């Protein structure tokens, strides 16, 4: 399973990377990376079939633990999944933008 730091993720995000947030809906609504799609771990198996296999998908959670697990599962079904070390907490701590509110839709 691959993992990237926040700087590498920020560069990919700026170029339009596909971002999958595996936190729970209430966590997502409280603040998420702009453009991130919500796919909580509880529905990850169902969402996995909808994840593009043509480009990397950056998997993010609060700190990087759940995203590692999720990225491993997605990679097992053929996705080019990359876990984001530091997660949304690290993203916010470094002053990067967050949006609040409802999910734009599952992956």
């Amino acid at each position: 399973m691959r993992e990237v730091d926040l700087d590498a993720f920020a560069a990919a995000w700026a170029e339009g990377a596909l971002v999958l947030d595996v936190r729970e809906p209430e966590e997502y609504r409280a603040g998420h990376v702009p453009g991130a799609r919500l796919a909580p771990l509880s529905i990850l198996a169902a969402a996995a079939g909808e994840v593009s296999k043509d480009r990397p998908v950056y998997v993010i959670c609060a700190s990087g633990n759940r995203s590692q697990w999720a990225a491993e599962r997605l990679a097992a079904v053929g996705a080019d999944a990359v876990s984001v070390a530091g997660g949304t907490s690290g993203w916010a701590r470094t002053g990067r933008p967050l949006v609040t509110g409802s999910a734009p839709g599952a992956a």
Side-chain angles (χ1 to χ4, degrees):
M1 185 272 318
R2 295 183 323 167
E3 184 175 60
V4 296
D5 65 21
L6 289 168
D7 290 334
F9 170 61
W13 173 79
E15 293 178 7
L18 174 60
V19 182
L20 194 64
D21 191 321
V22 296
R23 297 175 302 151
E24 293 301 314
E26 59 275 5
E27 292 175 286
Y28 181 92
R29 285 190 296 270
H32 58 272
V33 173
R37 296 178 178 190
L38 178 63
L41 290 181
S42 60
I43 66 157
L44 185 64
E50 299 176 33
V51 173
S52 173
K53 293 183 175 61
D54 298 332
R55 65 184 195 149
V57 57
Y58 291 83
V59 185
I60 195 166
C61 64
S63 64
N65 293 325
R66 288 178 280 182
S67 63
Q68 286 181 348
W69 185 89
E72 287 175 2
R73 299 315 173 273
L74 291 170
V77 296
D80 183 7
V82 182
S83 177
V84 178
T88 305
S89 298
W91 177 265
R93 207 171 31 256
T94 58
R96 293 180 169 109
L98 289 177
V99 293
T100 59
S102 298

